[in-house]
Amino acid sequence: MAKDIPYDQKYYDPEIECIPRPELEAMQLERLKDMVAYAYENTVYYKRSFDEAGVHPEDIQTLADIEKFPFIDKKTERDTQHVGSFFGEMCSVPEEEVVFMATSSGSTGVPTVSPFTQEDFDLWQDTEARLFWQAGMRPNDRYVHGLNFALYVGGPDVIGAQRLGALAIWVGAVPSDRLLFVLKQYQPTVIWTSPSYAWQLGEKAKEKGFDPRTDFSIHTIIVAGEPGGSIKSTREAIENLWGAKVVDFFGLSDIYGACAAMCEAKDGLHIVEDQILVETVDPNTGEVLEPGQQGELVYTTLMKKARPMIRFRTGDIGYVSTEKCECGRTLARIHVTGRKDEMFIVGAVNVFPTDIEYVVRAEKGLTGEYSIRVYDQDFTTKYEVSVERAQGSEEPYDEVARRVENALKTHTGVRPAKVIVYDAGRLGTSSEHKASRFVDERTSSK
């Protein structure tokens, strides 16, 4: 049921979004104490794990005490799921109480299953409504949900739009021609898809003779699933193509589909700290870092009942800002800069695929499509980048390659071994959903 609040009200839930940080941390501590005790008493895994580590729920007296407790990660989930029961040793409720399950994409291994009770599901969609409002959605909007409904944790978030009161058009993952028909026929105002697909859809619309800026009514494009929405050059390229603002969202199947979202300041994503405790740790040692320091992001759920996640190492590299945002919200912002498993080191310089995307999307005369190949040669790591020159471009391939090489050297600090240039549409990275652009051929990283 939509909340009865004025359309011009900036915050969906000002008591939470603008809560003074001392009050927020007091709330987090109470919820953390309850959640750690709940996990210990109700899950096979956490009882065993805490006992083996010599820690007990009563050890939580301050938020910093969470550091005493062991980490979990994707491997923990894989090793314990389906052990002893369908959902396995990390699930804290009987299967009869689970009303929904999502799975991870399986892009880094066996898909992991995430269970939700009805209480979890309702809280998740209430939170999604809050993030939609933050993105600018209102009850008079027509919203196209262009995400996969098949097991994907983003699928049910369409219900969050309905909670807010918007007209929700359940499109899902359909061929581009069908989606363009929906955009033309029903003139929706908000759409959610991936950054790469938002770009491809706009280009496809132009091929079909449409002007995305004037033939459709889209004013907001919500993106998730890839880092592009938080990369300025990618975001602005999509905004210019559509004449609409782009808002980055972040979710994890392991936790919720609604974890964090960008505000109008476009300076990181506000994380729902009333439900998720965030830490940053050294990726190698696990040592907790101060806010503002870059490391691996670690999340602890404070409310989720079906499967508590205590100190879940995400594999995402980034940092956390806790100072008040210019939008007025006090909830911390996460800045995800890359993936731990996709970072590569060239000449003692850490390079992330997001660094390369920034350059490719900012350079003129390219389509914005790219792929990266990382490999070993002569006992060192090399990388090469493939790009496409723009539709109709007659710029010589070697000149495009030289220009991109120089831009990559300037931005990342290390020159690629090679830049390969294709004609528009020939690279083969186009995807209706997440685009796969990173090929790691290093034997040393396996």
Side-chain angles (χ1 to χ4, degrees), residues 366-429:
L366 304 178
T367 65
E369 288 298 320
Y370 69 95
S371 67
I372 305 161
R373 173 175 163 253
V374 182
Y375 57 96
D376 294 326
Q377 187 179 68
D378 301 329
F379 308 104
T380 187
T381 297
K382 303 275 191 182
Y383 80 105
E384 65 180 38
V385 178
S386 298
V387 298
E388 294 177 345
R389 63 181 188 175
Q391 192 81 40
S393 168
E394 294 184 2
E395 184 181 1
Y397 298 110
D398 59 342
E399 289 185 16
V400 176
R402 194 176 309 117
R403 188 159 57 80
V404 174
E405 271 185 34
N406 291 335
L408 287 166
K409 170 72 168 69
T410 300
H411 184 70
T412 67
V414 285
R415 188 177 296 277
K418 187 191 297 185
V419 170
I420 304 164
V421 182
Y422 291 80
D423 285 327
R426 303 307 297 269
L427 185 51
T429 50

Side-chain angles (χ1 to χ4, degrees), residues 266-283:
K266 297 185 177 179
D267 182 19
L269 280 62
H270 288 281
I271 189 156
V272 290
E273 285 192 285
D274 51 315
Q275 295 163 48
I276 299 170
L277 183 69
V278 58
E279 301 172 82
T280 317
V281 305
D282 183 296

Side-chain angles (χ1 to χ4, degrees), residues 174-225:
V174 295
S176 301
D177 288 348
R178 180 68 176 160
L179 186 49
L180 289 173
F181 170 82
V182 169
L183 298 190
K184 183 65 177 166
Q185 187 75 12
Y186 306 127
Q187 293 293 315
T189 53
V190 182
I191 186 171
W192 186 352
T193 182
S194 68
S196 55
Y197 189 54
W199 174 264
Q200 290 160 27
L201 187 67
E203 290 293 319
K204 185 77 175 258
K206 284 162 63 176
E207 286 174 25
K208 297 282 183 184
F210 295 116
D211 182 343
R213 301 173 67 93
T214 57
D215 288 329
F216 308 127
S217 300
I218 299 294
H219 64 66
T220 299
I221 302 171
I222 295 167
V223 295

Side-chain angles (χ1 to χ4, degrees), residues 50-107:
F50 292 177
D51 285 350
E52 287 175 357
V55 291
H56 192 270
E58 290 169 5
D59 293 339
I60 300 281
Q61 296 300 318
T62 68
L63 288 176
D65 289 333
I66 192 66
E67 297 175 26
K68 301 171 184 174
F69 287 73
F71 293 112
I72 57 171
D73 57 17
K74 280 285 187 188
K75 184 176 187 302
T76 318
E77 292 181 77
R78 291 190 195 103
D79 290 349
T80 59
Q81 71 181 12
H82 310 316
V83 175
S85 65
F86 178 73
F87 287 111
E89 294 181 323
M90 290 184 73
C91 186
S92 55
V93 298
E95 186 183 331
E96 304 86 82
E97 292 183 29
V98 175
V99 300
F100 176 79
M101 59 174 261
T103 69
S104 66
S105 63
S107 56

Side-chain angles (χ1 to χ4, degrees), residues 1-3 12 118 121-127 129 158-166:
M1 184 66 190
K3 290 176 72 166
Y12 188 76
Q118 187 65 54
F121 193 89
D122 289 341
L123 179 63
W124 164 20
Q125 295 313 323
D126 287 341
T127 306
V158 65
I159 296 169
Q162 293 179 187
R163 292 265 173 102
L164 183 149

